[in-house]
Amino acid sequence: MDSQIKIDFENFLNKENFSKSQIQLKKNNFNEFVKKGFPNKRIEDWKFSDLNQIIQTNIKKLNFISSDLKQEDFEITTIKDFEHNKIIFLNGKILKVDFSLEENDKIVIQQNHNINADHIENSLVSLNSAFVSDYVKFTVKKGYQAKKPLIFYNYLTTDIASSALNIRIDIDLEDGSSLNVVDLSNQNLNNNFINIRQNFHVGENAILKKYFLDTENSKNIKYIYNNLDLAKNSHLEYFILSSGSKFLKNDITCSLNNQYGSISLNGIINLDGEKHHEIKTVINHKDENCKSYQLIKSVLADQSKGVYQGKISVDNKAQKTDGYQLSRALLLNDQTEFNAKPELEIYADDVKCSHGSTSGNIDEDSIFYLMSRGLSYHQSKQLLVNAFLNEVLEKITDEKIKIFIKKLTGLTNEY
Amino acid sequence: MLSIKNLRAKIDNKEILRGLNLNINPGEVHAIMGPNGSGKSTLSNILTGKKGYEIEGEVTFEKEDLLKLEPEERAHKGIFLAFQYPLEIPGVNTNIFLKTSINAIKKARGEKEFDAIEFLKLIKKKSADLKFDEKILSRQLNVGFSGGEKKKNEILQMSILNPKLAILDETDSGLDIDALRVVSEGVNTLRNQNNAFLIITHYQRLLDYIIPDYVHVLKNGQIIKSGGPELAKNLEKLGYKDFN
């Protein structure tokens, strides 16, 4: 590994004011990353997306420290479609937290300087732990139903380029609470490597709805490591719209740790140009009577590449599990590539699980039918693509957010 | 209105149409009858612009070279095909599709597009005329429609788009007597001095309800005989075998 990263790391430690034990933890993580480096295709989880290669091709030389941030003349634009709470990140650091629409003391925010000692076999998580400085942890208090959604805004200042940014958020939904989160991952500046780690804990009877949106065209390379733990009778709705970045991998691990938990995980990969996106999910069924449903649809144009790796793992005590996943891809021309790797790992006997994966071209007979009614080729194709993706959008249960997302993407069937 | 001269068509090197001639004037209803494989569907595909055929000969529509036009341009000029097998398009709402379709045509003609209320009025009236259950229009296009519903939906589209030349490709196949009557009424209501119909069918049955001005017998890619409505009756009696 490049000696620049070592110099950057030393500078980073000198600049920030960490305790001795934190410095040791960070050094351990740093050494772990240096030893393994960026994942490449020899690692099973990365066989379809050689991140090391992708970073070398697109960024070449990365800065791991961004010491001279200019924040003063930065203008924030927020969406006006619906009232919402905000957390605004600038260059990976928290600029503003606004929960003014909620009751006092029901959502508690902590800025965390220190990481904990958990260890995850993943060099990018190690990198994140080594370099993350301030991160936010917030708790939705027991029984509190957030009145308005929360939006994460991610901004970069224009002086940021060829930088590695490490962002971390921890969210704890206490028992009986609920929260809807929109993660607007629209960093529009170029050639950065953005490494995000998010941890969610969803308490008993709690409901989390999370909408991750990457829609703005950028040359950024992004990795999101998402770990979600679900307690008894809790529900998670997770939606991904993966479309804007040059490279994006959503790496999601959900664990249904106790009975009657349920997950509805739905995603759209909609790409053009030479974009390359991946959704990788692992759903761990660890107890009885839990359900998980996954639907991923991909539309690939130009020379783009899409990947879905989905694993459902059912523990031997997780009887009466329902676990389903379905991936469908529409390839708009011959130069696109779609890879799917569905996996079922089942150790219980009373379960209902299935997986399916199809990929195909757009149906020219359907196009002809629509054209014979006066629609242009482009209009017909768009209508069919939108119809194909609409099934996933219809899984969104928050109506306001659904309308917002449809508007944002132009994925409506109104012409 | 439509003039076809010495039309030849091949697909995958197989010759299907072998020098077909046909003239259709405004106000006329023509029926083309023929056995399986005679080229009936190929003719309707070529007139509406389906890709994949090697074509020779000349087809003009209102003195314009039809073969140069894209399928949607033919629709804009007023050509309509009622499909033999209307396609199921999951995820596309029938109402929205109908509105998109008529407005695309109106826009191409430089006419004012329908707003939501005007469109709703039109569709209410047209579906009542055709005894078509409006509820079906809020469903996905042709998805889960019965055979009869699909065909009625084609006729509903025809009556909304009000074409100059409507081609009905075996619209009668798979219809029960009641549906046949409704479909025929749809055509007869629309029939006037300025438009024309080309009805493609295997059987004489439909022609009891829609009386054609001309009947043509298509065999081996050529029109081998033309006549009045009585030709269809003869054909029904004798079968296609005796026509050479």
Side-chain angles (χ1 to χ4, degrees):
Chain A
M1 176 84 28
D2 198 323
S3 64
Q4 185 61 44
I5 187 175
K6 290 179 181 157
I7 299 166
D8 284 348
F9 186 60
E10 285 304 318
N11 286 337
F12 168 73
L13 289 185
N14 292 334
K15 186 173 63 115
E16 305 277 339
N17 192 18
F18 291 113
S19 68
K20 251 190 173 161
S21 62
Q22 274 293 307
I23 289 176
Q24 195 49 52
L25 259 178
K26 287 193 164 288
K27 280 187 171 168
N28 294 347
N29 277 292
F30 179 74
N31 291 334
E32 182 109 5
F33 174 74
V34 169
K35 201 170 76 194
K36 292 182 186 157
F38 287 107
N40 59 45
K41 65 181 174 202
R42 285 190 297 277
I43 296 164
E44 183 65 21
D45 285 351
W46 292 85
K47 66 192 275 191
F48 302 114
S49 308
D50 191 328
L51 185 65
N52 192 38
Q53 187 67 44
I54 289 165
I55 286 180
Q56 288 207 358
T57 314
N58 290 280
I59 308 183
K60 293 174 189 85
K61 199 174 162 300
L62 264 182
N63 306 311
F64 287 86
I65 188 164
S66 39
S67 48
D68 23 38
L69 300 181
K70 301 184 200 91
Q71 301 192 357
E72 59 277 12
D73 45 340
F74 188 76
E75 199 185 325
I76 305 268
T77 47
T78 54
I79 65 156
K80 304 280 180 279
D81 296 64
F82 52 89
E83 283 191 300
H84 58 278
N85 304 295
K86 301 171 187 72
I87 298 182
I88 298 170
F89 295 90
L90 185 63
N91 299 339
K93 293 195 173 189
I94 301 149
L95 181 70
K96 193 179 168 195
V97 178
D98 176 5
F99 278 105
S100 55
L101 296 166
E102 303 299 328
E103 284 171 34
N104 278 341
D105 304 327
K106 292 298 186 186
I107 299 178
V108 179
I109 299 124
Q110 282 172 277
Q111 302 241 13
N112 248 351
H113 197 52
N114 296 335
I115 54 162
N116 43 13
D118 65 343
H119 181 76
I120 291 159
E121 265 310 314
N122 179 324
S123 69
L124 297 174
V125 173
S126 303
L127 177 69
N128 188 289
S129 297
F131 278 99
V132 76
S133 55
D134 292 313
Y135 70 95
V136 70
K137 177 175 183 197
F138 65 90
T139 307
V140 183
K141 289 302 206 181
K142 197 170 172 181
Y144 184 68
Q145 323 276 317
K147 295 189 172 72
K148 302 288 173 190
L150 164 65
I151 300 189
F152 298 161
Y153 291 95
N154 287 284
Y155 288 103
L156 302 178
T157 49
T158 47
D159 55 337
I160 290 283
S162 305
S163 295
L165 296 171
N166 293 285
I167 302 172
R168 176 166 167 180
I169 303 167
D170 289 6
I171 297 183
D172 186 5
L173 268 72
E174 290 189 350
D175 294 352
S177 65
S178 72
L179 179 70
N180 296 359
V181 180
V182 177
D183 191 346
L184 264 181
S185 184
N186 276 344
Q187 299 94 342
N188 52 352
L189 289 145
N190 284 333
N191 290 355
N192 297 293
F193 173 60
I194 298 161
N195 183 20
I196 301 170
R197 177 178 180 188
Q198 296 181 350
N199 295 306
F200 290 88
H201 177 263
V202 187
E204 262 188 54
N205 303 313
I207 299 172
L208 172 66
K209 298 182 182 179
K210 164 106 197 280
Y211 305 96
F212 174 86
L213 310 176
D214 172 79
T215 56
E216 202 159 305
N217 285 329
S218 83
K219 289 196 173 134
N220 289 316
I221 312 292
K222 281 185 214 168
Y223 174 69
I224 293 113
Y225 177 84
N226 226 313
N227 190 71
L228 301 111
D229 274 302
L230 277 82
K232 190 174 178 179
N233 200 32
S234 61
H235 177 66
L236 168 67
E237 176 181 326
Y238 203 116
F239 173 84
I240 298 163
L241 178 60
S242 194
S243 175
S245 301
K246 175 75 178 63
F247 173 84
L248 169 60
K249 176 162 174 166
N250 259 292
D251 190 341
I252 298 162
T253 302
C254 301
S255 297
L256 290 154
N257 293 317
N258 212 317
Q259 294 183 60
Y260 301 106
S262 61
I263 295 169
S264 164
L265 193 159
N266 307 294
I268 288 174
I269 296 178
N270 188 13
L271 304 179
D272 58 6
E274 293 180 339
K275 289 172 185 167
H276 174 166
H277 286 203
E278 172 169 344
I279 294 175
K280 175 178 168 282
T281 64
V282 177
I283 310 279
N284 294 311
H285 282 262
K286 294 191 167 171
D287 206 344
E288 293 182 351
N289 287 305
C290 291
K291 297 181 195 318
S292 68
Y293 301 93
Q294 298 178 73
L295 175 66
I296 308 292
K297 284 195 172 182
S298 306
V299 175
L300 305 175
D302 304 331
Q303 292 98 48
S304 59
K305 182 173 171 180
V307 181
Y308 171 58
Q309 301 197 69
K311 180 173 175 179
I312 301 173
S313 165
V314 182
D315 218 76
N316 58 4
K317 65 183 278 212
Q319 301 296 355
K320 302 203 165 21
T321 287
D322 280 0
Y324 301 100
Q325 53 160 274
L326 180 64
S327 157
R328 293 186 64 202
L330 201 53
L331 279 58
L332 298 182
N333 73 47
D334 300 344
Q335 280 122 54
T336 58
E337 182 182 329
F338 183 74
N339 292 291
K341 190 182 137 197
E343 264 183 288
L344 297 177
E345 200 175 86
I346 300 172
Y347 296 102
D349 44 32
D350 184 11
V351 300
K352 282 186 266 181
C353 283
S354 76
H355 64 74
S357 176
T358 62
S359 58
N361 304 324
I362 206 150
D363 180 27
E364 290 295 331
D365 286 339
S366 299
I367 296 248
F368 175 62
Y369 184 60
L370 297 173
M371 287 177 81
S372 80
R373 300 301 185 253
L375 280 68
S376 68
Y377 185 83
H378 177 77
Q379 221 177 355
S380 307
K381 193 169 89 177
Q382 205 56 47
L383 191 72
L384 294 175
V385 166
N386 290 0
F388 176 75
L389 294 178
N390 199 47
E391 187 188 358
V392 189
L393 291 166
E394 287 304 324
K395 302 272 181 194
I396 297 172
T397 56
D398 183 311
E399 285 300 320
K400 274 190 187 141
I401 291 175
K402 177 156 80 184
I403 291 165
F404 169 69
I405 293 174
K406 283 189 170 185
K407 208 179 97 184
L408 187 72
T409 55
L411 288 174
T412 58
N413 273 332
E414 291 281 2
Y415 281 84
Chain B
M1 179 187 263
L2 180 77
S3 154
I4 304 174
K5 282 185 192 143
N6 199 24
L7 180 65
R8 292 172 174 273
K10 276 192 210 168
I11 190 161
D12 300 330
N13 258 330
K14 202 180 149 215
E15 194 163 44
I16 313 233
L17 297 182
R18 305 160 194 236
L20 187 143
N21 295 292
L22 183 67
N23 274 306
I24 298 179
N25 296 312
E28 293 176 355
V29 174
H30 291 245
I32 290 193
M33 301 181 70
N36 293 323
S38 59
K40 299 192 300 298
S41 289
T42 300
L43 177 62
S44 59
N45 284 340
I46 285 173
L47 292 178
T48 41
K50 190 165 186 182
K51 302 269 185 298
Y53 295 96
E54 260 178 75
I55 302 169
E56 278 175 50
E58 192 187 292
V59 182
T60 58
F61 181 70
E62 297 189 317
K63 303 198 169 63
E64 192 172 357
D65 183 357
L66 190 65
L67 298 175
K68 274 195 195 142
L69 301 179
E70 291 296 318
E72 79 271 24
E73 293 171 316
R74 302 182 195 204
H76 302 160
K77 303 253 177 246
I79 294 183
F80 178 89
L81 169 65
F83 278 59
Q84 182 180 3
Y85 304 110
L87 279 102
E88 299 192 5
I89 317 274
V92 174
N93 175 287
T94 307
N95 257 321
I96 291 172
F97 161 70
L98 290 174
K99 186 163 168 246
T100 309
S101 165
I102 187 149
N103 279 340
I105 291 175
K106 281 185 157 279
K107 196 175 164 191
R109 291 179 184 164
E111 295 168 16
K112 188 179 157 287
E113 294 175 42
F114 279 121
D115 64 29
I117 295 166
E118 290 167 329
F119 177 74
L120 213 66
K121 266 191 196 159
L122 175 77
I123 204 135
K124 256 195 156 45
K125 183 180 178 306
K126 296 288 185 185
S127 41
D129 287 351
L130 285 170
K131 300 181 181 66
F132 197 76
D133 186 356
E134 249 181 276
K135 270 185 233 138
I136 234 172
L137 300 175
S138 57
R139 295 197 345 221
Q140 298 175 40
L141 184 54
N142 289 330
V143 177
F145 285 28
S146 71
E149 284 168 342
K150 282 182 186 170
K151 295 293 175 77
K152 279 200 207 170
N153 192 17
E154 294 292 288
I155 298 303
L156 176 70
Q157 291 174 39
M158 181 183 80
S159 101
I160 288 170
L161 300 179
N162 195 12
K164 288 181 188 161
L165 173 67
I167 303 159
L168 277 65
D169 189 1
E170 298 194 25
T171 300
D172 52 337
S173 65
L175 287 189
D176 61 37
I177 296 291
D178 295 334
L180 194 67
R181 205 166 280 150
V182 170
V183 163
S184 310
E185 274 170 27
V187 172
N188 289 331
T189 322
L190 218 59
R191 202 169 165 173
N192 65 41
Q193 281 313 303
N194 303 313
N195 61 20
F197 292 83
L198 179 61
I199 294 165
I200 292 169
T201 181
H202 275 298
Y203 309 105
Q204 191 257 334
R205 194 175 64 152
L206 180 65
L207 306 180
D208 287 341
Y209 298 93
I210 308 169
I211 312 293
D213 301 300
Y214 300 94
V215 174
H216 311 277
V217 180
L218 184 65
K219 200 174 170 185
N220 294 326
Q222 281 182 321
I223 289 176
I224 55 163
K225 197 173 172 85
S226 298
E230 73 290 343
L231 181 59
K233 294 208 166 75
N234 275 337
L235 205 55
E236 189 86 352
K237 241 182 266 165
L238 294 169
Y240 292 112
K241 254 201 312 207
D242 294 323
F243 275 87
N244 279 311

